[in-house]
Amino acid sequence: MLTVPVIAMAMIPALQFTYWQWASLTLAAPVIVWAGWPFHKAAWTNLKHGTATMDTLVSMGTSAAFLWSLYALFFGHAGMPGMKHPFEFALARSDGAGNIYLEAAAGVTMFILAGRYFEKRSKRQAGAALRALLDLGAKEVSVLRNGAEVKIPTSELTVGDEFVVRPGEKIATDGIVVSGTSAVDASMLTGESVPVEVGDGDPVTGATVNAGGRLVVRASRVGSDTQLAQMAKLVEDAQSGKAAVQRLADRISGVFVPVVIAIALVALAAWLISGAGVATAFTAAVAVLVIACPCALGLATPTALLVGTGRGAQMGVLIKGPEVLESTRKVDTVVLDKTGTVTTGKMTLVEAIPEPGTDRAELLRLAGALEDASEHPIAQAVAKGAVQEVGTLPTPEDFANVDGKGVQGVVDGHAVLVGRESLLADWSQRLSPDVAAAKAAAEGEGKTVVAVGWDGQARGILVVADTVKPTSAAAIQGLKGLGLTPVLLTGDNEAVAKRIAAEVGIEQVIAEVLPKDKVDVVARLQGEGKVVAMVGDGVNDAPALAQADLGLAMGTGTDVAIEASDITLVRGDLRAAVDAIRLSRKTLRTIKTNLFWAFAYNVAAIPVAALGMLNPMLAGAAMAFSSVFVVGNSLRLRGFRSVIEQ
């Protein structure tokens, strides 16, 4: 509000009324002194440490323009009634006493503050990852006291307390199962899609979900000792230890500022030696400092970032800040979490192998009907696959869970068993050698197999597995095309990992890694001199995402992973990671081009200023043209095309 009228009056002679220069001073002074105070304060700090950054350049340029304008208004003839800045670019020597540069000083301050505002808006919120982690845990728990269940806040649990976990509830804290059997869905912590079967004496982890029967658990760790709290600590350590990339503009300013000061001092000395007088010498020196401060410097990064992140958002790629862009340029290794990133992360029926003489559709229909009555994730995968192949399933009768082995019941008059091979063996039902060999081969590849029998005979097997996303292989090729080496990282066994890696074209595999050790794997790769990008989706990936030089989270994953990452891939399509790195690199190139031109216009005018021939119109034009170029160049990013669209 204050700056726009100042720029308009300085650039448009028709708006220059009798005392316009004093109105400009009134409007510009609070902008340059008060709004620009952060720059002046930072410049003073930099001076005390013998360094120069973008803040030094801004403070130096705006202060020189402001102080010279004050001199011209109070001691020169710029304050005279009727003073005009004529619309001309003619260069002529003057003592500078009739020239004011308030619009340059106020304009630079305004544009750079606006740029930083836009930049801040796109940055992450500190601590959100930790809040999201701690919000995962259960809030209340049913504790057993004298044989009765009492609801208490989870924070009041103590080691040794026994508590009840019903199907579908979160386990309140780390503990040991005292009674009951169930399948526990630990995917939010481990990232692995296969549920873990637990029974008496087995350990369970807080924040995982009970997917099966009723459990009684004895608390073994509470509060800050739990696995969830330790993971939060890992995220916090990784984020605080991640050094911020120094701004590109600051690095350039560190060289540019001393050079400009040297030119100003040389100009001052040269004019004094030539005998031109103190006023003329100071005019030339101050003019060098004024013109050296590029207004577009503050817009170079934010405009490209705004357009680049806007285009990214349209494609499902959310970039969190300018530091992210510099990381993408140097990345040479990309670590990919398997479950939910390369694979779907969901159990799917992939094969049905009937015994000789058994109809495949009948195998799916009877087994699917019985499994549909179970809450177990593997059972649900079988039921869903059966519905897709044979349609509507009949309703079972006398359905019952057989603890740790499977389910049994009556479907269309047949006594059906579905579960482990040992369940069928209990009823003297044996798989044929060929089907048993197929079962062993599937299990050797890390797939889950359930056996099916009815009416006293084994009838076949159903194979369930986490399947590769259809776009993953193309995404891996795209990452390799960007010069990146893909590495598959998983807690799964090596056989499964190698099968998935071969399917998508990854040569390097790191398997059987515990969730808490993923961050160590990333740190080890960094220690070998690699610049690492990490792509993941689970809570267990959050510390590694924060530790990596560049963290990319699948938007289909957990909030914790998304908050700990630098880039979020909204669609859950791994090809979006290729887009993210391509777009980030292109945005970084645009920023560099912007910075070059932001300086180029002003650098070209420095010799003119040193010769004492700078007029206010030229200073204003350099400011305007560089800003227009920077904005126009940034808008070119809107034409970026996604590999998914091509």
Side-chain angles (χ1 to χ4, degrees):
M1 288 173 65
L2 297 174
T3 305
V4 171
V6 175
I7 294 174
M9 285 189 288
M11 299 290 285
I12 305 170
L15 298 179
Q16 294 171 5
F17 53 89
T18 306
Y19 289 106
W20 72 274
Q21 68 273 47
W22 295 102
S24 291
L25 176 63
T26 306
L27 294 169
V31 176
I32 301 161
V33 178
W34 178 74
W37 182 249
F39 303 120
H40 307 312
K41 185 179 176 184
W44 176 246
T45 304
N46 292 334
L47 181 63
K48 286 193 289 187
H49 291 94
T51 59
T53 65
M54 179 175 160
D55 291 328
T56 310
L57 183 55
V58 173
S59 176
M60 187 178 72
T62 55
S63 299
F66 183 57
L67 293 172
W68 187 260
S69 299
L70 289 178
Y71 165 77
L73 285 168
F74 287 99
F75 302 104
H77 46 270
M80 301 294 287
M83 187 277 276
K84 296 276 186 182
H85 271 179
F87 198 91
E88 60 182 28
F89 293 106
L91 300 177
R93 289 184 184 175
S94 79
D95 62 2
N99 296 337
I100 59 171
Y101 299 101
L102 293 168
E103 80 289 351
V108 167
T109 305
M110 178 194 73
F111 280 121
I112 291 179
L113 284 175
R116 290 199 178 173
Y117 166 75
F118 292 131
E119 199 172 295
K120 291 277 187 192
R121 207 172 63 170
S122 67
K123 282 191 176 179
R124 76 179 68 183
Q125 291 183 331
L130 304 181
R131 286 197 298 276
L133 256 179
L134 298 172
D135 283 347
L136 275 177
K139 301 294 181 287
E140 284 191 324
V141 59
S142 298
V143 181
L144 290 175
R145 297 270 164 86
N146 301 320
E149 291 185 27
V150 180
K151 284 265 188 189
I152 63 168
T154 307
S155 58
E156 293 179 13
L157 264 179
T158 58
V159 173
D161 280 345
E162 292 187 2
F163 58 92
V164 176
V165 189
R166 291 183 175 78
E169 289 183 344
K170 286 181 181 178
I171 296 172
T173 193
D174 297 0
I176 305 294
V177 176
V178 176
S179 67
T181 58
S182 182
V184 173
D185 179 3
S187 59
M188 63 166 55
L189 276 177
T190 66
E192 300 309 322
S193 49
V194 182
V196 181
E197 301 286 347
V198 296
D200 291 4
D202 289 331
V204 289
T205 306
T208 56
V209 178
N210 179 14
R214 179 181 184 271
L215 294 174
V216 177
V217 179
R218 181 183 297 114
S220 59
R221 288 185 296 194
V222 295
S224 60
D225 294 330
T226 64
Q227 193 172 326
L228 184 67
Q230 287 169 2
M231 206 165 278
K233 182 77 167 62
L234 280 174
V235 173
E236 184 178 27
D237 291 346
Q239 285 191 329
S240 60
K242 198 171 184 179
V245 180
Q246 189 191 5
R247 296 167 62 91
L248 197 55
D250 284 342
R251 296 207 294 273
I252 297 169
S253 298
V255 176
F256 187 69
V257 170
V259 171
V260 167
I261 292 173
I263 293 171
L265 291 173
V266 168
L268 177 68
W271 280 105
L272 287 173
I273 291 168
S274 70
V278 176
T280 304
F282 271 99
T283 300
V286 171
V288 168
L289 299 180
V290 170
I291 199 63
C293 185
C295 156
L297 182 62
L299 292 173
T301 297
T303 54
L305 191 66
L306 274 174
V307 180
T309 52
R311 180 67 189 114
Q314 290 173 344
M315 301 188 306
V317 173
L318 307 179
I319 301 169
K320 294 189 178 175
E323 297 86 356
V324 174
L325 304 176
E326 293 208 44
S327 300
T328 60
R329 178 173 58 89
K330 302 168 190 169
V331 165
D332 54 26
T333 303
V334 57
V335 175
L336 302 158
D337 171 57
K338 177 183 75 69
T339 310
T341 301
V342 176
T343 65
T344 59
K346 296 175 183 173
M347 302 302 283
T348 307
L349 180 65
V350 293
E351 210 173 354
I353 303 173
E355 289 281 0
T358 300
D359 179 58
R360 186 176 184 277
E362 186 72 354
L363 174 71
L364 285 167
R365 195 175 73 86
L366 296 183
L370 195 59
E371 293 283 60
D372 196 33
S374 171
E375 296 171 338
H376 198 289
I378 291 175
Q380 288 300 304
V382 169
K384 188 176 179 182
V387 168
Q388 288 172 347
E389 287 207 34
V390 300
T392 308
L393 301 173
T395 304
E397 300 168 21
D398 298 329
F399 172 85
N401 269 306
V402 181
D403 285 351
K405 289 191 175 182
V407 291
Q408 63 185 39
V410 177
V411 183
D412 284 354
H414 301 285
V416 183
L417 302 169
V418 183
R420 297 181 187 273
E421 194 176 354
S422 60
L423 175 64
L424 271 64
D426 290 346
W427 293 83
S428 302
Q429 299 178 15
R430 309 282 178 197
L431 296 173
S432 66
D434 287 348
V435 175
K439 174 179 179 289
E443 288 176 335
E445 293 177 349
K447 296 174 182 175
T448 302
V449 181
V450 292
V452 184
W454 64 80
D455 297 344
Q457 275 187 289
R459 302 290 180 167
I461 59 171
L462 301 174
V463 182
V464 175
D466 182 12
T467 54
V468 171
K469 291 179 182 177
T471 58
S472 290
I476 299 303
Q477 288 308 308
L479 291 169
K480 287 180 176 178
L482 292 170
L484 305 176
T485 303
V487 178
L488 188 67
L489 179 66
T490 178
D492 226 331
N493 70 61
E494 197 149 349
V496 177
K498 286 188 171 173
R499 173 178 63 83
I500 298 291
E503 202 173 323
V504 296
I506 296 175
E507 287 80 35
Q508 290 188 42
V509 176
I510 302 173
E512 298 176 26
V513 178
L514 293 172
K516 63 185 176 59
D517 294 335
K518 285 189 176 183
V519 68
D520 297 332
V521 170
V522 172
R524 192 186 76 228
L525 289 168
Q526 289 170 326
E528 292 170 5
K530 294 180 172 64
V531 181
V532 181
M534 167 82 189
V535 188
D537 73 325
V539 172
N540 64 305
D541 298 319
L545 287 166
Q547 172 69 36
D549 299 286
L550 179 69
L552 298 97
M554 309 299 278
T556 48
T558 62
D559 289 345
V560 182
I562 290 167
E563 289 295 346
S565 68
D566 303 303
I567 296 176
T568 302
L569 312 174
V570 174
R571 278 182 283 202
D573 184 333
L574 191 54
R575 288 178 299 174
V578 181
D579 279 339
I581 293 173
R582 285 177 57 239
L583 176 61
S584 296
R585 286 179 175 179
K586 186 163 185 182
T587 305
L588 183 62
R589 285 197 300 272
T590 302
I591 289 171
K592 287 181 173 178
T593 309
N594 285 350
L595 287 171
F596 172 78
W597 284 106
F599 281 97
Y601 281 106
N602 298 66
V603 168
I606 284 177
V608 177
L611 293 170
M613 297 192 294
L614 178 68
N615 70 38
M617 197 60 67
L618 187 64
M623 182 176 79
F625 283 131
S626 58
S627 299
V628 168
F629 180 89
V630 159
V631 172
N633 189 47
S634 296
L635 290 173
R636 290 170 55 237
L637 285 166
R638 291 195 299 187
F640 181 86
R641 293 289 303 279
S642 164
V643 292
I644 300 170
E645 297 168 357
Q646 291 170 358

PDB file of all heavy atoms in Angstrom, residues 199-224:
ATOM      1  N   GLY A 199      -0.120 -65.177  19.977  1.00  0.00           N
ATOM      2  CA  GLY A 199      -0.803 -65.984  20.986  1.00  0.00           C
ATOM      3  C   GLY A 199      -0.123 -65.787  22.328  1.00  0.00           C
ATOM      4  O   GLY A 199       0.677 -64.858  22.500  1.00  0.00           O
ATOM      5  N   ASP A 200      -0.414 -66.662  23.298  1.00  0.00           N
ATOM      6  CA  ASP A 200       0.148 -66.535  24.645  1.00  0.00           C
ATOM      7  C   ASP A 200       1.670 -66.407  24.600  1.00  0.00           C
ATOM      8  O   ASP A 200       2.356 -67.212  23.951  1.00  0.00           O
ATOM      9  CB  ASP A 200      -0.208 -67.770  25.486  1.00  0.00           C
ATOM     10  CG  ASP A 200      -1.697 -67.826  25.793  1.00  0.00           C
ATOM     11  OD1 ASP A 200      -2.427 -66.957  25.291  1.00  0.00           O
ATOM     12  OD2 ASP A 200      -2.130 -68.748  26.509  1.00  0.00           O
ATOM     13  N   GLY A 201       2.197 -65.376  25.284  1.00  0.00           N
ATOM     14  CA  GLY A 201       3.641 -65.197  25.396  1.00  0.00           C
ATOM     15  C   GLY A 201       4.276 -64.396  24.277  1.00  0.00           C
ATOM     16  O   GLY A 201       5.468 -64.077  24.353  1.00  0.00           O
ATOM     17  N   ASP A 202       3.498 -64.059  23.220  1.00  0.00           N
ATOM     18  CA  ASP A 202       4.069 -63.299  22.096  1.00  0.00           C
ATOM     19  C   ASP A 202       4.082 -61.801  22.398  1.00  0.00           C
ATOM     20  O   ASP A 202       3.141 -61.276  23.014  1.00  0.00           O
ATOM     21  CB  ASP A 202       3.273 -63.540  20.809  1.00  0.00           C
ATOM     22  CG  ASP A 202       3.471 -64.943  20.260  1.00  0.00           C
ATOM     23  OD1 ASP A 202       4.556 -65.504  20.501  1.00  0.00           O
ATOM     24  OD2 ASP A 202       2.552 -65.464  19.594  1.00  0.00           O
ATOM     25  N   PRO A 203       5.135 -61.085  21.948  1.00  0.00           N
ATOM     26  CA  PRO A 203       5.174 -59.632  22.152  1.00  0.00           C
ATOM     27  C   PRO A 203       4.287 -58.909  21.141  1.00  0.00           C
ATOM     28  O   PRO A 203       4.128 -59.364  19.999  1.00  0.00           O
ATOM     29  CB  PRO A 203       6.652 -59.284  21.911  1.00  0.00           C
ATOM     30  CG  PRO A 203       7.140 -60.346  20.980  1.00  0.00           C
ATOM     31  CD  PRO A 203       6.362 -61.584  21.291  1.00  0.00           C
ATOM     32  N   VAL A 204       3.689 -57.801  21.543  1.00  0.00           N
ATOM     33  CA  VAL A 204       2.911 -56.938  20.636  1.00  0.00           C
ATOM     34  C   VAL A 204       3.368 -55.484  20.838  1.00  0.00           C
ATOM     35  O   VAL A 204       3.910 -55.136  21.889  1.00  0.00           O
ATOM     36  CB  VAL A 204       1.386 -57.058  20.881  1.00  0.00           C
ATOM     37  CG1 VAL A 204       0.863 -58.400  20.425  1.00  0.00           C
ATOM     38  CG2 VAL A 204       1.046 -56.828  22.352  1.00  0.00           C
ATOM     39  N   THR A 205       3.139 -54.669  19.815  1.00  0.00           N
ATOM     40  CA  THR A 205       3.631 -53.285  19.837  1.00  0.00           C
ATOM     41  C   THR A 205       2.469 -52.302  19.921  1.00  0.00           C
ATOM     42  O   THR A 205       1.446 -52.480  19.239  1.00  0.00           O
ATOM     43  CB  THR A 205       4.448 -52.994  18.554  1.00  0.00           C
ATOM     44  OG1 THR A 205       5.459 -53.987  18.438  1.00  0.00           O
ATOM     45  CG2 THR A 205       5.089 -51.617  18.615  1.00  0.00           C
ATOM     46  N   GLY A 206       2.629 -51.268  20.725  1.00  0.00           N
ATOM     47  CA  GLY A 206       1.607 -50.229  20.851  1.00  0.00           C
ATOM     48  C   GLY A 206       1.319 -49.560  19.518  1.00  0.00           C
ATOM     49  O   GLY A 206       2.211 -49.392  18.694  1.00  0.00           O
ATOM     50  N   ALA A 207       0.036 -49.174  19.290  1.00  0.00           N
ATOM     51  CA  ALA A 207      -0.458 -48.470  18.101  1.00  0.00           C
ATOM     52  C   ALA A 207      -0.741 -49.402  16.929  1.00  0.00           C
ATOM     53  O   ALA A 207      -1.278 -48.973  15.921  1.00  0.00           O
ATOM     54  CB  ALA A 207       0.474 -47.349  17.649  1.00  0.00           C
ATOM     55  N   THR A 208      -0.387 -50.718  17.054  1.00  0.00           N
ATOM     56  CA  THR A 208      -0.788 -51.672  16.023  1.00  0.00           C
ATOM     57  C   THR A 208      -2.242 -52.068  16.277  1.00  0.00           C
ATOM     58  O   THR A 208      -2.785 -51.822  17.357  1.00  0.00           O
ATOM     59  CB  THR A 208       0.116 -52.915  16.014  1.00  0.00           C
ATOM     60  OG1 THR A 208       0.116 -53.508  17.318  1.00  0.00           O
ATOM     61  CG2 THR A 208       1.547 -52.538  15.648  1.00  0.00           C
ATOM     62  N   VAL A 209      -2.895 -52.678  15.266  1.00  0.00           N
ATOM     63  CA  VAL A 209      -4.341 -52.928  15.349  1.00  0.00           C
ATOM     64  C   VAL A 209      -4.616 -54.426  15.482  1.00  0.00           C
ATOM     65  O   VAL A 209      -4.080 -55.241  14.721  1.00  0.00           O
ATOM     66  CB  VAL A 209      -5.054 -52.368  14.098  1.00  0.00           C
ATOM     67  CG1 VAL A 209      -6.550 -52.665  14.154  1.00  0.00           C
ATOM     68  CG2 VAL A 209      -4.822 -50.867  13.983  1.00  0.00           C
ATOM     69  N   ASN A 210      -5.483 -54.775  16.429  1.00  0.00           N
ATOM     70  CA  ASN A 210      -5.913 -56.156  16.606  1.00  0.00           C
ATOM     71  C   ASN A 210      -6.951 -56.485  15.536  1.00  0.00           C
ATOM     72  O   ASN A 210      -8.060 -55.960  15.557  1.00  0.00           O
ATOM     73  CB  ASN A 210      -6.509 -56.336  18.006  1.00  0.00           C
ATOM     74  CG  ASN A 210      -7.006 -57.752  18.247  1.00  0.00           C
ATOM     75  OD1 ASN A 210      -6.696 -58.665  17.493  1.00  0.00           O
ATOM     76  ND2 ASN A 210      -7.786 -57.931  19.308  1.00  0.00           N
ATOM     77  N   ALA A 211      -6.577 -57.362  14.589  1.00  0.00           N
ATOM     78  CA  ALA A 211      -7.471 -57.632  13.453  1.00  0.00           C
ATOM     79  C   ALA A 211      -8.310 -58.891  13.646  1.00  0.00           C
ATOM     80  O   ALA A 211      -9.144 -59.211  12.809  1.00  0.00           O
ATOM     81  CB  ALA A 211      -6.638 -57.766  12.167  1.00  0.00           C
ATOM     82  N   GLY A 212      -8.074 -59.625  14.748  1.00  0.00           N
ATOM     83  CA  GLY A 212      -8.787 -60.894  14.925  1.00  0.00           C
ATOM     84  C   GLY A 212      -9.562 -60.984  16.213  1.00  0.00           C
ATOM     85  O   GLY A 212     -10.496 -60.226  16.445  1.00  0.00           O
ATOM     86  N   GLY A 213      -9.135 -61.917  17.094  1.00  0.00           N
ATOM     87  CA  GLY A 213      -9.893 -62.186  18.325  1.00  0.00           C
ATOM     88  C   GLY A 213      -9.518 -61.290  19.495  1.00  0.00           C
ATOM     89  O   GLY A 213      -8.690 -60.390  19.384  1.00  0.00           O
ATOM     90  N   ARG A 214     -10.171 -61.568  20.658  1.00  0.00           N
ATOM     91  CA  ARG A 214      -9.948 -60.786  21.880  1.00  0.00           C
ATOM     92  C   ARG A 214      -8.610 -61.174  22.491  1.00  0.00           C
ATOM     93  O   ARG A 214      -8.272 -62.351  22.592  1.00  0.00           O
ATOM     94  CB  ARG A 214     -11.080 -61.063  22.868  1.00  0.00           C
ATOM     95  CG  ARG A 214     -10.983 -60.335  24.206  1.00  0.00           C
ATOM     96  CD  ARG A 214     -12.181 -60.744  25.061  1.00  0.00           C
ATOM     97  NE  ARG A 214     -12.237 -60.032  26.338  1.00  0.00           N
ATOM     98  CZ  ARG A 214     -11.649 -60.428  27.453  1.00  0.00           C
ATOM     99  NH1 ARG A 214     -10.908 -61.536  27.446  1.00  0.00           N
ATOM    100  NH2 ARG A 214     -11.777 -59.734  28.568  1.00  0.00           N
ATOM    101  N   LEU A 215      -7.822 -60.162  22.901  1.00  0.00           N
ATOM    102  CA  LEU A 215      -6.520 -60.392  23.525  1.00  0.00           C
ATOM    103  C   LEU A 215      -6.486 -59.749  24.902  1.00  0.00           C
ATOM    104  O   LEU A 215      -7.095 -58.695  25.129  1.00  0.00           O
ATOM    105  CB  LEU A 215      -5.387 -59.772  22.682  1.00  0.00           C
ATOM    106  CG  LEU A 215      -5.096 -60.357  21.294  1.00  0.00           C
ATOM    107  CD1 LEU A 215      -4.045 -59.504  20.584  1.00  0.00           C
ATOM    108  CD2 LEU A 215      -4.614 -61.799  21.405  1.00  0.00           C
ATOM    109  N   VAL A 216      -5.766 -60.398  25.823  1.00  0.00           N
ATOM    110  CA  VAL A 216      -5.407 -59.758  27.095  1.00  0.00           C
ATOM    111  C   VAL A 216      -3.890 -59.597  27.069  1.00  0.00           C
ATOM    112  O   VAL A 216      -3.157 -60.568  26.838  1.00  0.00           O
ATOM    113  CB  VAL A 216      -5.844 -60.596  28.314  1.00  0.00           C
ATOM    114  CG1 VAL A 216      -5.379 -59.926  29.602  1.00  0.00           C
ATOM    115  CG2 VAL A 216      -7.355 -60.784  28.318  1.00  0.00           C
ATOM    116  N   VAL A 217      -3.435 -58.360  27.261  1.00  0.00           N
ATOM    117  CA  VAL A 217      -2.010 -58.043  27.122  1.00  0.00           C
ATOM    118  C   VAL A 217      -1.480 -57.466  28.433  1.00  0.00           C
ATOM    119  O   VAL A 217      -2.161 -56.661  29.083  1.00  0.00           O
ATOM    120  CB  VAL A 217      -1.796 -57.021  25.972  1.00  0.00           C
ATOM    121  CG1 VAL A 217      -0.320 -56.654  25.840  1.00  0.00           C
ATOM    122  CG2 VAL A 217      -2.322 -57.577  24.653  1.00  0.00           C
ATOM    123  N   ARG A 218      -0.265 -57.899  28.826  1.00  0.00           N
ATOM    124  CA  ARG A 218       0.397 -57.310  29.989  1.00  0.00           C
ATOM    125  C   ARG A 218       1.388 -56.257  29.503  1.00  0.00           C
ATOM    126  O   ARG A 218       2.254 -56.544  28.670  1.00  0.00           O
ATOM    127  CB  ARG A 218       1.132 -58.374  30.806  1.00  0.00           C
ATOM    128  CG  ARG A 218       1.829 -57.790  32.062  1.00  0.00           C
ATOM    129  CD  ARG A 218       2.616 -58.831  32.836  1.00  0.00           C
ATOM    130  NE  ARG A 218       1.762 -59.881  33.372  1.00  0.00           N
ATOM    131  CZ  ARG A 218       1.809 -61.142  32.984  1.00  0.00           C
ATOM    132  NH1 ARG A 218       2.684 -61.525  32.055  1.00  0.00           N
ATOM    133  NH2 ARG A 218       1.002 -62.044  33.507  1.00  0.00           N
ATOM    134  N   ALA A 219       1.259 -55.023  29.997  1.00  0.00           N
ATOM    135  CA  ALA A 219       2.124 -53.919  29.558  1.00  0.00           C
ATOM    136  C   ALA A 219       3.568 -54.181  29.973  1.00  0.00           C
ATOM    137  O   ALA A 219       3.841 -54.490  31.136  1.00  0.00           O
ATOM    138  CB  ALA A 219       1.645 -52.599  30.158  1.00  0.00           C
ATOM    139  N   SER A 220       4.496 -54.066  29.004  1.00  0.00           N
ATOM    140  CA  SER A 220       5.916 -54.265  29.316  1.00  0.00           C
ATOM    141  C   SER A 220       6.710 -52.963  29.202  1.00  0.00           C
ATOM    142  O   SER A 220       7.747 -52.804  29.837  1.00  0.00           O
ATOM    143  CB  SER A 220       6.525 -55.316  28.384  1.00  0.00           C
ATOM    144  OG  SER A 220       6.397 -54.913  27.034  1.00  0.00           O
ATOM    145  N   ARG A 221       6.210 -52.036  28.374  1.00  0.00           N
ATOM    146  CA  ARG A 221       6.864 -50.719  28.242  1.00  0.00           C
ATOM    147  C   ARG A 221       5.789 -49.658  28.079  1.00  0.00           C
ATOM    148  O   ARG A 221       4.808 -49.861  27.351  1.00  0.00           O
ATOM    149  CB  ARG A 221       7.798 -50.691  27.014  1.00  0.00           C
ATOM    150  CG  ARG A 221       9.059 -51.510  27.203  1.00  0.00           C
ATOM    151  CD  ARG A 221      10.012 -51.375  26.028  1.00  0.00           C
ATOM    152  NE  ARG A 221       9.444 -51.917  24.799  1.00  0.00           N
ATOM    153  CZ  ARG A 221      10.166 -52.170  23.705  1.00  0.00           C
ATOM    154  NH1 ARG A 221      11.450 -51.896  23.682  1.00  0.00           N
ATOM    155  NH2 ARG A 221       9.597 -52.677  22.628  1.00  0.00           N
ATOM    156  N   VAL A 222       5.968 -48.527  28.759  1.00  0.00           N
ATOM    157  CA  VAL A 222       4.976 -47.448  28.659  1.00  0.00           C
ATOM    158  C   VAL A 222       5.694 -46.114  28.418  1.00  0.00           C
ATOM    159  O   VAL A 222       6.907 -46.005  28.612  1.00  0.00           O
ATOM    160  CB  VAL A 222       4.116 -47.349  29.950  1.00  0.00           C
ATOM    161  CG1 VAL A 222       3.281 -48.596  30.148  1.00  0.00           C
ATOM    162  CG2 VAL A 222       4.987 -47.078  31.169  1.00  0.00           C
ATOM    163  N   GLY A 223       4.909 -45.120  27.994  1.00  0.00           N
ATOM    164  CA  GLY A 223       5.442 -43.756  27.823  1.00  0.00           C
ATOM    165  C   GLY A 223       6.582 -43.673  26.828  1.00  0.00           C
ATOM    166  O   GLY A 223       6.522 -44.209  25.727  1.00  0.00           O
ATOM    167  N   SER A 224       7.667 -43.041  27.240  1.00  0.00           N
ATOM    168  CA  SER A 224       8.796 -42.764  26.337  1.00  0.00           C
ATOM    169  C   SER A 224       9.616 -44.011  26.004  1.00  0.00           C
ATOM    170  O   SER A 224      10.495 -43.966  25.155  1.00  0.00           O
ATOM    171  CB  SER A 224       9.718 -41.708  26.951  1.00  0.00           C
ATOM    172  OG  SER A 224      10.224 -42.172  28.188  1.00  0.00           O
TER     173      SER A 224
END
